[in-house]
Amino acid sequence: MTLPRLLVPAALALLTACAQQPQRTVELDGESECPKRLLVGQTLTLTLPSNPTTGYRWLLQNPASEILRSLGPEVYSSPEQAGIVGSGGLSSWRFQAKAAGEGHLILVYQQPWAPEVRPVQTFDCAIRVN
């Protein structure tokens, strides 16, 4: 066989492998998108509605640390109408799938100074990493 005849199948095999790579970053915007499946090395971005002006914050109750690694603290962003006092925004967290396994990413929406008071909302997402 000639060299070009050998290179064409090899090139096609490489292109096929590249086309089948999973998304590097996975977005998660609510429990309706759970359970979530990830591959080791993928990044998960979780975004939830938040309004810290009310005194309520999302607190990581279970970060699924056996399968996920936090890539930094919560990042809060306010809406475009920044002049509106008391308007809500979005809180985001980034995690990287570090090991195969299963776990639950759990956050609670409550006032941090009143942990004995029941949270007004709970986010619970089953995560599976392969």
Side-chain angles (χ1 to χ4, degrees):
M1 283 189 128
T2 63
L3 186 59
R5 284 190 176 186
L6 290 174
L7 290 178
V8 170
L12 288 174
L14 284 173
L15 285 173
T16 302
C18 290
Q20 294 176 356
Q21 291 296 318
Q23 288 180 288
R24 192 78 184 133
T25 300
V26 176
E27 302 287 329
L28 179 58
D29 296 319
E31 280 184 287
S32 63
E33 299 177 18
C34 297
K36 208 52 144 174
R37 292 181 183 266
L38 302 170
L39 296 175
V40 172
Q42 277 188 308
T43 300
L44 173 69
T45 301
L46 169 63
T47 304
L48 297 172
S50 179
N51 190 346
T53 63
T54 63
Y56 286 88
R57 302 284 313 230
W58 284 105
L59 305 171
L60 270 168
Q61 190 174 57
N62 179 7
S65 57
E66 60 281 353
I67 57 170
L68 298 176
R69 179 172 59 92
S70 174
L71 296 178
E74 169 191 4
V75 175
Y76 176 77
S77 58
S78 58
E80 295 295 320
Q81 316 92 317
I84 300 174
V85 177
S87 63
L90 298 171
S91 291
S92 298
W93 298 262
R94 292 181 58 233
F95 302 92
Q96 184 176 44
K98 69 176 186 176
E102 296 182 13
H104 279 261
L105 181 60
I106 301 173
L107 290 89
V108 293
Y109 197 59
Q110 68 184 111
Q111 295 172 322
W113 61 85
E116 71 283 351
V117 177
R118 192 171 184 180
V120 294
Q121 199 172 354
T122 300
F123 175 86
D124 183 350
C125 186
I127 307 285
R128 181 180 190 144
V129 178
N130 294 325

